[in-house]
Amino acid sequence: MCPAKKIRVFMCILVPLACVSAMTARSESPRQETQPGWTRQEISRNWMIRSIQPCASLDQEFLAAADRAASETGWLAAPNMPAMVHDILLAHGRIETPWMAGAAEKCLWVAEQDWIYAVRFAAEHPEAESRLHFAGLDTIVDVYLNGRFLASHWNMFVPLSVDVTGRLRAENSLVLHFHSVFEKTGGKVVPIRRVGGDPKKHVRRPNQNYGNYLGPQPRFSRVGVYDKVFLEITNGSRLDEVMAGASLDETLSTGTVQVDFRGESRLANIEIRCRLLDPDGLAVADAGVQESVREGIFEGRLEMRVGKPRLWWPRGYGDQPLYTAEITLLAEGQPHQTIRRTIGFRRVTMPQRLHFVVNGVPVRLWGGDWVTPHWQTAVWDQERVERLFAMAEHANFNAFRVWGEVESPRDDFYDLADKKGFLIWQDFTHLPLAPDAESRAICRDEAARMVKRLKHHPSIVVWNGGNEAAMWHHQEFNNALEDRGPWPGLAAAEEVGAICRALDPDRYYQPSSPFFGQDPNDPREGNTHGYTNMWFVPGYDYLNFASEDTRIAAPPLHSLKRFMAPQDLWPADYSPVFTHGTVYPYPKTWLRYTTGSSWKKTGPIEQFYDATDAASLVHRIGMAEALYYQDTIERQRRGRDAVDLSGRRRCGGYLVWKFNDSWPQIYSAKVDYFLEPYHAYYAIRNAFAPVLLSFEGGVYLHLWAVNDTRTTITGTARIQLFHLDQNQTRREIVKNILVPPGQSIVISRLDQDGIGTFRREHILYATLTDPFGQVLARARMLGDMERRVTFPNARLDVRVQDGILRVRSDRYAHCVTLEGDAEGDAFGWFFDDNYFDLMPGEEKSVRILGSHDRGKVTAKAWYSPHSTTVEWRRPTRDDQKGK
C-alpha cells in the first residue's frame, strides 16, 4: 500500500486563490450530450494532479485526501482537460519548455514518478445504468471511484470503458493513479514492458517514449490523460460498435451501404434503424432490423442501396461529396441512441500492386508521411492539424501515409482527409508483430478495433501491418548483417491480414512497409523506403511505389535560433572544409539536435558551395535536399526514361519522409515544428504540381510534360537556352503539345530540335502556356552543378499589389529568398513560393498565406549582394470595397 503520510511529495505547490475558489465547488458543471435514452457527460473541469513515489496501490487515507484535493496543498490544478502531466506542469511554470536546449533531460524525473489525477463530479441519476469511458490514458493506470478500486489499464492505444452501475453517488470522487513506466534495475532506469512481469499485460505505448528519434534528447516519456473522460448513462441499452462501409458497382451507378453493429441491452429485443442523408441533408435511403438479445448482447447487419450516388474523388480529380449514415438504437420502440458515420462512394481497384484506379481513373499517390503533430503531448490539437493539412494541400499532396510508430490520429484527422480528398495509407499502430500467442492476440484485437473504427472513411486506401519490421530483420538491413532466417512476424501479420479481409475486403492490405520482392525493400515489385544514401538498391531509378524516401536538412535559420543554444549554431572553431576522415557535414554541436545517422542522409551537398556561416550552411544542406527531391520526384512522375516508348509510368506513388516535425530537430521533415517550411517543401510542391514540365539529363537532354489531371492539356511549350553572362536567350524551341490525362510525354529531344552543344554557363528554361497565354508550368536546369556556376548579381524589383508580391529581376536571379519581419517576428509568414529562380523581365507573383497582417518583406537572389525590402499589408475589406 502507499499511505499518504509516507508519500514523498515532489511538488508542494499552493494553488492560486482564483483557482481554489473555483475548485472548492463540490463538483463540476457537466458538459452533456443528451439523447432520448442515453446521456454522455464529459468530466472536464476541476481536475487536480500531484506526484508521488512509485507504489503498487493507494490506501484509503490517501484516497480520502485526494477527495479533498482542491483544498489540500501539494496539488496542481489542470487548467484544461484533457491534459497530460507535462502540459499541466508547463502551464504552472514548473518545467521549462521541453524542446528547449537541454530541457528534455531536465524533465526525465517526471516519467520516473507516479502521478495522481483527482476530480469530483456530479451524477444527476446515480441509480441509472452507467459506465465511465476514458478515451485516452497513457499508460499504466489504476482507476478508483469513491474510494474503491475500479479498474486497471496499460494500453494507450485503446480506450477504457468500465461499468459503474450501482457504484455512483450524487457526488463522486474519481482518482487515476498513473504508475511510472520505468523501474530501476542494476542502477539503470529501464522501461517496464509488462505490468508486474505478467506476460499477458503488455505495456502498449510507442517506443518513441524511450529514444530520441523524434527529437528529444535523450528522451521524453509522456504520461497522463490525453483524451476525454465521460460518464455515460445508458439506461441498460447501448450501441458499442458501429462499422459502416460504402461500395460501388462496376458501372459506378449503384452504391451499397453496409452497417455492422453490436451492443448490449437488458431487453429481450431491440430495433436498429439506419437513415442515409445525402450531402445536402436529404434522406435518400433507410432500413431497419429487429434483433434478439442473447445473454445481454445483440449484433447484426443492415444494407441499403443508393441509385446514382455522387462520387467521392481524390483531391485534384473531382469533388468530395459525403453522405451521413444515422444509426439509431430503438429500445421498446423509442429512439434511444444515435451514432453517425460519414461515408463516400468511390470504387478503388488495383490492377497492379500499389497502382490505384479510383472510379475508373488511374490515380497516383503523391504526398508524405504524417507523424504525430506533437511529441510533447498526445492531446489533440485540431488547429495545428488543420494548418498542417492546409500546408500539405498547398504542396500539391493528395496522400498521406499515417506512420504507425506513435499513434493513430483522432477521428477528426480522417474527417479532414475525407473532406479534402486525401488518400490515406494507414499503418496499424505499433503492433507487436511477433510469433508468441500473446503478441498475436494483441495484433488481432487492435487491428480489428482500428478497422471497425475507421472503415467508413473513403480516404483510406491501404491497411499496413507495420513499419519496417520485415526489412530490419533481413540480412542486408540489420546492423549485424546476420542471416536471421524468415521474418518471425509474418504469421502475426498474416492474421492481421485475415482480420482486414473479413471486416474490410475491398481495401488492400500488406504485411509490412516496405514489403515484397527480392528483399523487403525491393523498389521494383512492392514498395520501398528510400535508403539509397545508406545502401545500394537495384532498380531505384524507376520505383513501383515509395512509401518513404528520406533526405535530411536543417529547418530555417530563425527556427534553429529558437531551439538551439547560441554557441551550438556555428562554433568559433568550426571548419566546414570536408577532408578525409571528416564524418559530419555540419558542426558536431548539431548532434545534440539530430538523430538517425542524419549525417549519412543529406542530399548532394557536394554540388553546392561550401558554407561560411550558419545561414549558408542551412542553405547548402537545405537546397541539396531540395535538389534530391526535385530530381527524384520528377523522375518518378515521368515514370520511364525517354527511350522507353511503351508509355507506361512505372511509379504508382511517392511519399516523402517525413511531412512534419513533432519536436524541433535537424532531420527529415518538410514542415518544421513551428510550422515553417523547409527549403525542400517548395521543391516538392513544384515537383508534385498536377501539370509538370521536367528536364531529363543524361547523354541527351529531353523535356517532358506530365499530366496528372482528368482533362487533356493543350498548349505551347517554349524552351530557351539562356546565357548567364550575356543576359540573353541564344536559342529557342517552340512546340505545340497535347498531353492526355494521366500520361507523361517527351516534348523534345533538344539536340534534334535546335539546342545541341552549349557552354556550361548557360541555363535551360522552359514554360508551358495554355491557348489563352496562362502559364501552366515552368522548368529550369543549370548547365553545371551549382558550385561551378557564377551567378549574376541580380537586382530585384518588388512591388505590392492587392497584398500580392510582384517580383521582377534585371538579370537571372537564382534562389530568390523571401523573408518576413513583423516587428522582429520572422515566423508565420508562409510565402506561397520561395527559393525560386527568376528570368530577367519575368514577373513572379507571390501570395503571403501566413498569420501576419503587415510587416516588412525582404527579397534577395541568394548569391547576389543586392536585397530589396518593401512594406507589406494584407488588404482589408475596405480595400476591396474601394475597388
Side-chain angles (χ1 to χ4, degrees), residues 524-557:
R524 297 164 293 186
E525 295 187 38
N527 67 306
T528 189
H529 288 192
Y531 288 104
T532 53
N533 44 10
M534 301 178 72
W535 286 272
F536 171 75
V537 181
Y540 203 81
D541 51 351
Y542 296 99
L543 315 173
N544 184 62
F545 194 102
S547 48
E548 287 187 18
D549 197 3
T550 304
R551 290 299 183 274
I552 72 98
L557 184 60

Side-chain angles (χ1 to χ4, degrees), residues 516-809:
F516 297 112
Q518 181 176 310
D519 60 57
N521 199 30
D522 188 340
R524 297 164 293 186
E525 295 187 38
N527 67 306
T528 189
H529 288 192
Y531 288 104
T532 53
N533 44 10
M534 301 178 72
W535 286 272
F536 171 75
V537 181
Y540 203 81
D541 51 351
Y542 296 99
L543 315 173
N544 184 62
F545 194 102
S547 48
E548 287 187 18
D549 197 3
T550 304
R551 290 299 183 274
I552 72 98
L557 184 60
H558 55 277
S559 291
L560 288 181
K561 290 179 177 179
R562 178 174 277 188
F563 70 86
M564 291 180 72
Q567 66 272 17
D568 292 341
L569 190 58
W570 186 265
D573 60 349
Y574 174 63
S575 171
V577 178
F578 211 90
T579 59
H580 184 265
T582 302
V583 175
Y584 306 113
Y586 43 65
K588 289 184 179 180
T589 51
W590 285 26
L591 295 174
R592 297 178 59 194
Y593 309 94
T594 190
T595 188
S597 301
S598 67
W599 54 91
K600 299 179 181 179
K601 300 177 182 178
T602 61
I605 57 174
E606 66 279 1
Q607 296 192 29
F608 293 81
Y609 286 104
D610 294 333
T612 57
D613 55 20
S616 56
L617 181 57
V618 170
H619 169 86
R620 184 190 197 210
I621 298 176
M623 292 307 293
E625 182 193 30
L627 179 60
Y628 171 81
Y629 281 117
Q630 176 193 340
D631 287 349
T632 304
I633 294 171
E634 289 187 9
R635 184 170 65 254
Q636 304 315 322
R637 294 282 307 279
R638 299 190 301 261
R640 64 190 182 282
D641 59 39
V643 298
D644 183 343
L645 303 180
S646 68
R648 173 180 170 239
R649 298 171 67 189
R650 298 184 202 172
C651 185
Y654 181 93
L655 309 178
V656 299
W657 175 264
K658 55 187 174 173
F659 174 57
N660 57 295
D661 271 330
S662 310
W663 188 280
Q665 66 174 166
I666 299 166
Y667 196 50
S668 57
K670 312 306 172 260
V671 176
D672 77 14
Y673 181 76
F674 309 111
L675 303 185
E676 296 291 293
Y678 281 66
H679 288 74
Y681 171 89
Y682 292 102
I684 292 166
R685 173 182 183 261
N686 294 327
F688 278 156
V691 179
L692 174 72
L693 281 184
S694 174
F695 283 108
E696 177 188 1
V699 176
Y700 301 100
L701 300 178
H702 298 82
L703 181 68
W704 290 70
V706 182
N707 178 14
D708 278 324
T709 75
R710 290 174 61 195
T711 60
T712 297
I713 299 298
T714 60
T716 301
R718 186 179 304 273
I719 309 168
Q720 296 177 318
L721 180 68
F722 184 84
H723 195 282
L724 291 175
D725 296 334
Q726 295 179 4
N727 199 35
Q728 66 175 357
T729 297
R730 296 189 57 245
R731 296 176 200 163
E732 186 173 77
I733 299 169
V734 180
K735 286 197 168 187
N736 293 324
I737 68 167
L738 180 150
V739 193
Q743 294 193 20
S744 62
I745 66 166
V746 175
I747 296 173
S748 171
R749 190 177 120 176
L750 273 62
D751 66 297
Q752 293 179 341
D753 291 330
I755 299 179
T757 302
F758 58 85
R759 295 174 66 95
R760 294 286 187 178
E761 59 265 25
H762 289 82
I763 64 109
L764 290 166
Y765 181 75
T767 58
L768 173 61
T769 56
D770 69 12
F772 303 99
Q774 180 71 33
V775 177
L776 302 177
R778 295 179 173 87
R780 61 92 175 159
M781 183 178 185
L782 297 180
D784 206 341
M785 69 172 65
E786 182 162 320
R787 73 179 294 142
R788 294 178 182 164
V789 178
T790 300
F791 294 96
N793 292 331
R795 295 178 183 270
L796 302 180
D797 174 58
V798 184
R799 295 177 296 109
V800 179
Q801 182 180 355
D802 299 329
I804 298 173
L805 302 175
R806 311 287 186 181
V807 187
R808 299 172 70 91
S809 180

Side-chain angles (χ1 to χ4, degrees), residues 496-510:
V496 172
I499 294 286
C500 292
R501 287 189 293 275
L503 298 178
D504 193 14
D506 293 337
R507 282 193 177 97
Y508 172 71
Y509 167 81
Q510 72 173 42

Side-chain angles (χ1 to χ4, degrees), residues 87 112 127 144 189 343 386 493 518 650 656 714 745 808:
D87 302 331
E112 295 169 11
E127 74 288 350
Y144 296 83
V189 176
I343 60 173
E386 289 179 2
Q518 181 176 310
R650 298 184 202 172
V656 299
T714 60
I745 66 166
R808 299 172 70 91

Side-chain angles (χ1 to χ4, degrees), residues 417-433:
D418 293 344
K419 292 174 184 176
K420 294 176 177 293
F422 280 77
L423 297 173
I424 301 298
W425 169 306
Q426 178 66 52
D427 286 7
F428 287 104
T429 304
H430 191 50
L431 293 181
L433 297 173

